[in-house]
Amino acid sequence: MIINADLHVHSKYSMATSKNMNPETMAVESMKKGLNLIATGDALHSKWLEELEDQLTPLDDMGIYKTNIEGVSTNFITTTEVEDNERIHHLLIIPSLEVAWQMRDEFTVKNMDADGRPKIRMHASEIIDIAKDYDCIVGPAHIFTPWTGIFKTYDSIEECYGQKVDFVELGLSSDTILADTIEELHDYPFLTNSDSHSPWPHRIGREFNKIDLSELSFKALKKAIGSDKILENYGINPRMGKYHETGCIKCYKLYDIKDAQNNNMKCSCGGQIKKGVKSRIDELSTLAEGKHPKNRPHYQYVLPLAELLSTVHDKGVTTKYVQTRYNQLIEEFSNEIDVLINIPVEKIAIIDKKLASIIQAYRTNNLDVIPGRGGQYGTVNYKESINEVI
């Protein structure tokens, strides 16, 4: 059984998230996207757990849950992201909602329900020990993010945890090509997830994994992650990530890392310069690009369909113009992932030639991208990207 899975999202109980991050909306929008399995997120928050239990139905004892909405096929798996006492974030995939209830009392935290992503006042090694006691699948979230990724503080995974983890999550500003220049990471499977704070398809599933499961269950997912059954990673071009390059968090000026360090990480505008993911990876790299461990799956760049429509037609992502065209494509081709990856560009061109040209450009790695930095997402230079395409 081959599935598309986004294993890291949040609920409406996390800070800076959409009020529409509820089970019903998440399920409907994930089906439009083409996701077979979606994370619950925030599974240590009591009110969210109560909503999940009320609105989802367990599939036997599989650790998988289905929505009660007729005609919606989305499946859920129990997950949470937590912050440790060094502000590093960790992703826990939990065997069931029942186990999530049991785990709540194990952690040192002032108020578990203060935020969907709880601030646990424990070291990473203590958190992973508890997670392992409950048979969770666990690893660091968005490992290179300069604010909360593991590599902002540590130079290795084992230095942080004191043991091996089940996976590492790459985050939006890196990909397999960059991450595999760090030799230690050859020992770990990579997950690519959206970390979405919104249910809409230009956020949820913007990164996802294609995984081969023996059955749809928590145990099968755990086995698949540990035995090279991740068939492909899908994610945005890392240059589109908010922190790919080094830049000012106030004016977004792009900096060479050496110039930034010579300026004590202070921009001429007075803002703070944040070291980019690419610069941090360069510091940790010991291998040349192109050297991958055996069985490392292919990494395919994708960009959300609504964002592509917005770019080529110069309209806002949420405008009626873009949403009408989006819905037309979903009705014609079933789901967004198929449009982005599988449908021949010639068929897409019948409906929207401009869209077909930019899809062809990123499928063939010909996108011209102005890189993200300092908290600002990268942008696609559409006119350059479609040069000699369709």
Side-chain angles (χ1 to χ4, degrees), residues 197-313:
H197 289 209
S198 163
W200 313 125
H202 64 283
R203 289 289 181 257
I204 208 162
R206 60 186 166 178
E207 298 207 342
F208 66 95
N209 313 272
K210 181 186 286 186
I211 307 175
D212 186 4
L213 299 181
S214 58
E215 63 180 9
L216 192 58
S217 70
F218 172 85
K219 288 183 179 179
L221 177 65
K222 186 173 187 178
K223 183 177 180 181
I225 290 174
S227 58
D228 297 323
K229 295 297 183 180
I230 300 173
L231 302 181
E232 196 156 18
N233 293 110
Y234 295 89
I236 66 173
N237 187 310
R239 290 175 294 163
M240 295 288 291
K242 291 194 294 184
Y243 297 104
H244 181 70
E245 294 285 359
T246 297
C248 176
I249 65 173
K250 184 178 180 181
C251 72
Y252 307 121
K253 180 180 178 180
L254 186 67
Y255 275 89
D256 176 84
I257 185 60
K258 291 183 179 179
D259 292 337
Q261 290 168 337
N262 288 336
N263 290 327
N264 295 316
M265 305 303 283
K266 289 291 184 181
C267 180
S268 56
C269 78
Q272 178 187 359
I273 301 171
K274 202 67 179 173
K275 183 188 295 183
V277 166
K278 182 65 170 63
S279 296
R280 181 60 175 139
I281 290 174
D282 287 344
E283 290 175 351
L284 298 169
S285 295
T286 58
L287 302 173
E289 288 187 6
K291 291 187 178 296
H292 301 285
K294 184 180 180 182
N295 299 323
R296 177 72 79 207
H298 176 249
Y299 190 108
Q300 175 63 52
Y301 294 148
V302 292
L303 284 169
L305 181 56
E307 289 190 0
L308 293 177
L309 288 166
S310 174
T311 297
V312 300
H313 296 293

Side-chain angles (χ1 to χ4, degrees), residues 4-282:
N4 296 323
D6 183 354
L7 299 173
H8 182 180
V9 305
H10 289 278
S11 76
K12 60 186 177 182
Y13 293 103
S14 280
M15 292 179 63
T17 54
S18 167
K19 66 181 185 301
N20 294 303
M21 282 299 265
N22 57 70
E24 179 177 339
T25 307
M26 291 165 66
V28 171
E29 299 303 319
S30 293
M31 190 171 74
K32 283 186 191 176
K33 189 78 179 189
L35 297 170
N36 311 108
L37 185 64
I38 186 75
T40 62
D42 299 354
L44 297 179
H45 194 285
S46 63
K47 289 184 178 179
W48 183 235
L49 281 170
E50 288 168 357
E51 286 192 35
L52 293 170
E53 289 180 327
D54 182 57
Q55 298 184 41
L56 301 179
T57 300
L59 295 181
D60 298 322
D61 293 322
M62 298 293 200
I64 303 295
Y65 301 83
K66 284 189 71 72
T67 176
N68 298 326
I69 308 169
E70 186 175 351
V72 176
S73 58
T74 307
N75 301 290
F76 287 82
I77 191 164
T78 311
T79 70
T80 191
E81 181 185 21
V82 300
E83 180 177 294
D84 70 18
N85 60 5
E86 295 181 287
R87 293 199 64 218
I88 296 170
H89 289 186
H90 314 275
L91 177 61
L92 280 59
I93 305 173
I94 304 170
S96 68
L97 296 178
E98 181 182 8
V99 171
W101 278 113
Q102 295 168 5
M103 291 177 64
R104 279 171 47 89
D105 295 333
E106 298 279 358
F107 298 108
T108 302
V109 58
K110 285 185 177 180
N111 180 1
M112 187 63 83
D113 290 339
D115 185 50
R117 182 182 56 212
K119 294 177 172 61
I120 294 175
R121 295 305 168 225
M122 301 172 73
H123 189 266
S125 60
E126 298 173 286
I127 292 172
I128 193 174
D129 283 343
I130 293 171
K132 292 291 187 181
D133 285 344
Y134 283 90
D135 198 34
C136 295
I137 311 166
V138 61
H142 40 70
I143 55 174
F144 298 111
T145 302
W147 297 105
T148 56
I150 191 172
F151 286 122
K152 79 177 179 70
T153 301
Y154 294 96
D155 290 337
S156 76
I157 302 295
E158 290 201 45
E159 182 187 353
C160 174
Y161 292 105
Q163 59 182 290
K164 285 195 172 183
V165 292
D166 297 310
F167 63 84
V168 297
E169 183 186 65
L170 294 183
L172 302 184
S173 294
S174 63
D175 61 8
T176 299
I177 294 171
L178 295 172
D180 269 338
T181 63
I182 301 171
E183 189 170 7
E184 180 199 27
L185 297 185
H186 286 212
D187 293 335
Y188 296 99
F190 291 158
L191 290 183
T192 41
N193 302 310
S194 71
D195 193 5
S196 183
H197 289 209
S198 163
W200 313 125
H202 64 283
R203 289 289 181 257
I204 208 162
R206 60 186 166 178
E207 298 207 342
F208 66 95
N209 313 272
K210 181 186 286 186
I211 307 175
D212 186 4
L213 299 181
S214 58
E215 63 180 9
L216 192 58
S217 70
F218 172 85
K219 288 183 179 179
L221 177 65
K222 186 173 187 178
K223 183 177 180 181
I225 290 174
S227 58
D228 297 323
K229 295 297 183 180
I230 300 173
L231 302 181
E232 196 156 18
N233 293 110
Y234 295 89
I236 66 173
N237 187 310
R239 290 175 294 163
M240 295 288 291
K242 291 194 294 184
Y243 297 104
H244 181 70
E245 294 285 359
T246 297
C248 176
I249 65 173
K250 184 178 180 181
C251 72
Y252 307 121
K253 180 180 178 180
L254 186 67
Y255 275 89
D256 176 84
I257 185 60
K258 291 183 179 179
D259 292 337
Q261 290 168 337
N262 288 336
N263 290 327
N264 295 316
M265 305 303 283
K266 289 291 184 181
C267 180
S268 56
C269 78
Q272 178 187 359
I273 301 171
K274 202 67 179 173
K275 183 188 295 183
V277 166
K278 182 65 170 63
S279 296
R280 181 60 175 139
I281 290 174
D282 287 344

